[in-house]
Amino acid sequence: MATPRSTSTDIARLAGVSRATVSYVLNARKDQSISEATRERVLAAARQLNYVPNAASRALRGGLSHLVMLINSGVPWSTNVTEVEDELTRLVAQSGRSLVVWRRQGPDDLVSTLANLEPCVAISTSFIGDDEKALLATVKIPLVESDLVAPGSDIPARLQVEHLVARGHERLGYLTTSEPTLQRFATPRTEGFVAACAEFKLPEPRVAAVPGGLGVTVESVKEQLRAWQSEPRPVTAVACFNDFHAAVCLAAATDLGWWVPEDLAVMGLDDDIFAPLTRPALTTVKLDPHGLARHLWATAQSRLHEAPEPHPYVMDARIVERASVSETV
Amino acid sequence: MATPRSTSTDIARLAGVSRATVSYVLNARKDQSISEATRERVLAAARQLNYVPNAASRALRGGLSHLVMLINSGVPWSTNVTEVEDELTRLVAQSGRSLVVWRRQGPDDLVSTLANLEPCVAISTSFIGDDEKALLATVKIPLVESDLVAPGSDIPARLQVEHLVARGHERLGYLTTSEPTLQRFATPRTEGFVAACAEFKLPEPRVAAVPGGLGVTVESVKEQLRAWQSEPRPVTAVACFNDFHAAVCLAAATDLGWWVPEDLAVMGLDDDIFAPLTRPALTTVKLDPHGLARHLWATAQSRLHEAPEPHPYVMDARIVERASVSETV
DNA sequence: CGGGGTTACTTACACGTGAAAGGTACGTCC
DNA sequence: GGACGTACCTTTCACGTGTAAGTAACCCCG
């Protein structure tokens, strides 16, 4: 505990060479010629001393840290988010860097975190305010924003329509969130849903936004379902912003004494961890978090001038059929 | 983009003072006397240049970074984990440091991540191998391990027994996981469950371990339930390692055509996000992630010699009654 | 008037690393 | 035999910060 970490100076002393030689050996520089004998001696000394280079001085010297920051606010309950994190962690590690994820609490924390962390690039899958973007710009840290908002982010919602139409539904409801930080994902999905309905020549769908992420209550959704039911031509299927909303919807329908999918079909989005466990099991849309992660990292690398800018991300999505939408109406 | 970050030298030049003066002003050192006029000038210059101190050089100079690393492997689906993360993020931020969470993939990645990150302390809520502990020791980074394994980690399981007994159940089943990395939590809970049954003079409970985290299948649990049912004196209530297992159990019972809680009571643990949404809604045990986070941070601070070692953590847990266990049998 | 203390700074060094520039011994070529 | 290249290593600097030590001006008091 009292003895400090060993440094390259210690290695140099032990191997009987200069510190520069140590640096050349450990970084395997091929424009420097080092005799095999000293190379071995240096490596042996490094092993013996359990040498791990000091990150701070390396970052100071090189101008850039080897850290990639993933900004992740809210949405603690989606499997997709952790899958993106895991895949990104793997990809970033391959470049010798490390991915760390930071769970943002307030907007103020970002300043001090950036000062403490000093990542070479920041990636965000969630909402980032303009002032925060400005902050990142002043400290010269490139920001990669999730392209979920790009062309293609309406695809999952369109798939929901497509599937419900194929199952014979015409009168559709769409249950989304009014949470401000989720509008980035919610808005294009809602628009895609409405547009797809129009393209299929369906009557205009009913759209309802219930308050935020975890704040959705079964009661409020029950009320909404009842309202839709009491219309002259009631909706026969409800598609949801995500699986959590769908689970609430399922619970609400059950509490109303309706049978799913007979009285009402329910469709989710995300193929979250609990989707196969609801009864009836949730028919949903699976996205491709790994593909997204790859695209985010490719974009980040292009910002680091290590790679060309990748093609725009095209969302990959597919239906996962379970039991909450019947085979045919 | 081309212009580099502004440094304290820039501020010194702009304010017409030496760099040392800048440092004294910005760090508000009270053992140095600085005239109000220059103080203002320096602060104005810093503001004007959007100065943010360089983390690398600060860490290099001070010997310690301002980063706290939370090692988080597996268990992507528990709300408790993210709640611990969020509370820790808040607490750590109050000390001027930043918490970053690292999702460990393989055991090898730890070396390079430590080299890149160089946290002043590491906190782990999950399983850490001995070799990894050794590694942390060689780089002199203190490790704080979650005390869930300490006295008190059997409490949630004992609470499950207590509650089921109060509801008139005698013949109990316990459904746990065989996932190796979760045994740290699983073993004390199972032992607590069995011990509590003995203390209540119940017949010895049936214990089954199904394969790990997300690998639990409804089929395997169905089989287990059927086996328990076919015994001469079938179990009337099943307590589970966590809410996910409980959700699987609920689905299995439903698929078998049994009514919950009439035919079989099911009890979870964690009060996870989907617990209120299952039908019947899940009766479960809520832990205290915020309390755990506070304890972890207090321990970490004591390792940083800023605070005395806290008292051992006593798990806080309470029953959350919903509908998967009936009022009385 | 001069010694001692205070105020308000500046100069100089250290942290650990990467790497350019410099140096030395040895062989080679004309 | 001296110019030149090459293999191998060392000396030296720079990165941006915190801070101990030094300094110059000023004031107070006997």
Side-chain angles (χ1 to χ4, degrees):
Chain A
M1 193 69 180
T3 63
R5 282 255 299 270
S6 52
T7 71
S8 68
T9 311
D10 298 329
I11 299 181
R13 192 168 22 228
L14 182 59
V17 294
S18 76
R19 225 181 38 66
T21 306
V22 172
S23 173
Y24 292 143
V25 169
L26 294 183
N27 295 352
R29 288 190 45 136
K30 58 185 218 4
D31 59 335
Q32 295 284 332
S33 63
I34 308 283
S35 73
E36 191 56 27
T38 48
R39 216 182 71 88
E40 296 277 316
R41 267 212 324 286
V42 168
L43 290 175
R47 237 184 336 252
Q48 185 184 332
L49 295 175
N50 280 318
Y51 175 71
V52 178
N54 181 303
S57 60
R58 208 145 55 115
L60 176 57
R61 171 62 229 228
L64 275 181
S65 80
H66 291 190
L67 293 173
V68 177
M69 172 164 114
L70 182 65
I71 304 175
N72 177 0
S73 69
V75 212
W77 31 272
S78 170
T79 318
N80 273 330
V81 174
T82 60
E83 279 197 47
V84 169
E85 287 177 5
D86 285 354
E87 180 68 7
L88 265 178
T89 302
R90 263 187 294 269
L91 292 169
V92 171
Q94 284 171 14
S95 76
R97 279 174 271 255
S98 298
L99 183 91
V100 293
V101 1
W102 179 61
R103 292 194 55 77
R104 182 172 52 157
Q105 301 299 320
D108 327 330
D109 304 339
L110 186 57
V111 189
S112 62
T113 303
L114 282 177
N116 290 332
L117 192 56
E118 210 130 283
C120 58
V121 57
I123 301 177
S124 172
T125 52
S126 57
F127 175 78
I128 291 274
D130 283 340
D131 43 348
E132 293 167 308
K133 283 187 200 170
L135 176 65
L136 282 162
T138 66
V139 292
K140 321 274 179 196
I141 295 173
L143 170 68
V144 175
E145 282 189 277
S146 162
D147 272 331
L148 283 178
V149 81
S153 57
D154 56 338
I155 290 180
R158 303 183 93 99
L159 263 181
Q160 290 177 318
V161 175
E162 202 177 303
H163 183 68
L164 292 173
V165 167
R167 292 294 175 271
H169 292 277
E170 293 187 343
R171 193 81 191 161
L172 309 185
Y174 191 70
L175 189 66
T176 184
T177 176
S178 59
E179 172 73 19
T181 58
L182 291 176
Q183 289 316 305
R184 186 144 177 230
F185 308 102
T187 307
R189 287 184 192 170
T190 306
E191 289 172 359
F193 194 87
V194 173
C197 284
E199 288 161 24
F200 278 106
K201 315 273 189 223
L202 300 184
E204 201 176 337
R206 297 282 163 254
V207 174
V210 287
L214 307 176
V216 204
T217 64
V218 175
E219 271 318 307
S220 66
V221 174
K222 240 162 99 177
E223 221 166 286
Q224 189 59 59
L225 291 185
R226 239 187 318 239
W228 282 344
Q229 183 72 10
S230 65
E231 295 187 15
R233 303 189 53 206
V235 308
T236 63
V238 175
C240 301
F241 167 68
N242 66 17
D243 281 356
F244 185 74
H245 278 72
V248 175
C249 193
L250 232 42
T254 305
D255 290 358
L256 285 168
W258 302 354
W259 288 99
V260 176
E262 293 81 359
D263 298 335
L264 184 77
V266 174
M267 203 170 168
L269 194 162
D270 265 356
D271 195 23
D272 220 316
I273 190 73
F274 52 79
L277 300 178
T278 59
R279 284 299 176 266
L282 200 55
T283 290
T284 185
V285 177
K286 185 167 181 48
L287 303 181
D288 177 26
H290 285 209
L292 176 59
R294 278 192 299 273
H295 180 260
L296 288 173
W297 180 231
T299 310
Q301 278 180 307
S302 79
R303 297 278 203 289
L304 293 166
H305 301 291
E306 287 177 4
E309 185 90 15
H311 298 301
Y313 180 63
V314 181
M315 175 80 64
D316 187 18
R318 58 167 226 272
I319 299 288
V320 178
E321 269 204 84
R322 295 209 178 87
S324 65
V325 178
S326 56
E327 291 288 317
T328 44
V329 173
Chain B
M1 193 71 183
T3 63
R5 283 255 297 270
S6 52
T7 72
S8 67
T9 311
D10 298 329
I11 299 181
R13 191 169 21 230
L14 183 58
V17 294
S18 76
R19 227 182 35 69
T21 305
V22 172
S23 174
Y24 291 143
V25 169
L26 294 183
N27 295 355
R29 289 190 45 137
K30 56 183 221 7
D31 59 335
Q32 296 283 334
S33 61
I34 307 285
S35 73
E36 190 56 27
T38 49
R39 216 181 71 86
E40 296 277 318
R41 266 211 326 285
V42 167
L43 289 175
R47 234 181 340 250
Q48 186 184 330
L49 296 174
N50 279 318
Y51 175 70
V52 179
N54 181 304
S57 62
R58 208 145 56 117
L60 176 58
R61 170 64 228 226
L64 276 181
S65 78
H66 291 192
L67 293 174
V68 178
M69 170 164 117
L70 182 65
I71 303 175
N72 176 1
S73 69
V75 212
W77 31 272
S78 170
T79 317
N80 273 330
V81 174
T82 59
E83 278 196 47
V84 168
E85 287 178 6
D86 284 355
E87 179 69 6
L88 265 178
T89 302
R90 263 187 295 269
L91 291 170
V92 171
Q94 284 170 15
S95 76
R97 279 175 271 255
S98 298
L99 183 90
V100 293
V101 2
W102 179 61
R103 291 194 57 77
R104 183 173 50 157
Q105 301 299 321
D108 327 329
D109 305 339
L110 186 56
V111 189
S112 62
T113 303
L114 282 177
N116 289 333
L117 192 56
E118 211 128 282
C120 58
V121 57
I123 301 176
S124 172
T125 52
S126 57
F127 174 78
I128 290 276
D130 283 340
D131 43 348
E132 292 168 308
K133 283 186 200 169
L135 177 64
L136 283 162
T138 66
V139 293
K140 319 277 177 196
I141 294 173
L143 170 68
V144 176
E145 283 189 276
S146 160
D147 272 331
L148 283 178
V149 81
S153 58
D154 55 337
I155 289 179
R158 302 184 94 98
L159 263 182
Q160 290 176 319
V161 175
E162 201 177 303
H163 183 69
L164 293 173
V165 166
R167 292 294 174 271
H169 293 277
E170 294 188 343
R171 193 81 191 160
L172 308 185
Y174 190 70
L175 189 67
T176 184
T177 175
S178 58
E179 172 75 18
T181 58
L182 291 175
Q183 289 316 304
R184 185 146 179 230
F185 309 102
T187 307
R189 287 182 191 171
T190 307
E191 289 172 0
F193 193 87
V194 174
C197 284
E199 287 160 25
F200 277 107
K201 313 273 189 225
L202 301 184
E204 202 177 336
R206 297 283 163 253
V207 175
V210 287
L214 308 175
V216 207
T217 64
V218 175
E219 271 317 307
S220 66
V221 174
K222 241 163 101 177
E223 221 167 285
Q224 190 58 58
L225 290 185
R226 240 188 317 238
W228 282 343
Q229 184 72 9
S230 65
E231 293 188 17
R233 304 190 53 205
V235 308
T236 63
V238 176
C240 301
F241 167 68
N242 66 16
D243 281 356
F244 185 73
H245 278 72
V248 175
C249 194
L250 233 42
T254 306
D255 289 358
L256 284 167
W258 303 354
W259 288 98
V260 177
E262 292 81 359
D263 300 333
L264 185 76
V266 175
M267 201 168 169
L269 195 161
D270 265 357
D271 195 22
D272 220 317
I273 191 74
F274 52 80
L277 300 179
T278 59
R279 283 299 174 268
L282 201 55
T283 291
T284 187
V285 177
K286 185 169 180 48
L287 304 180
D288 177 27
H290 285 209
L292 176 59
R294 278 193 300 272
H295 180 260
L296 287 173
W297 180 230
T299 310
Q301 278 180 307
S302 79
R303 297 277 203 290
L304 294 166
H305 301 290
E306 286 178 6
E309 185 90 15
H311 298 300
Y313 179 63
V314 181
M315 174 79 63
D316 187 18
R318 59 168 226 274
I319 300 287
V320 178
E321 269 204 84
R322 295 207 179 89
S324 66
V325 177
S326 57
E327 292 288 318
T328 44
V329 173

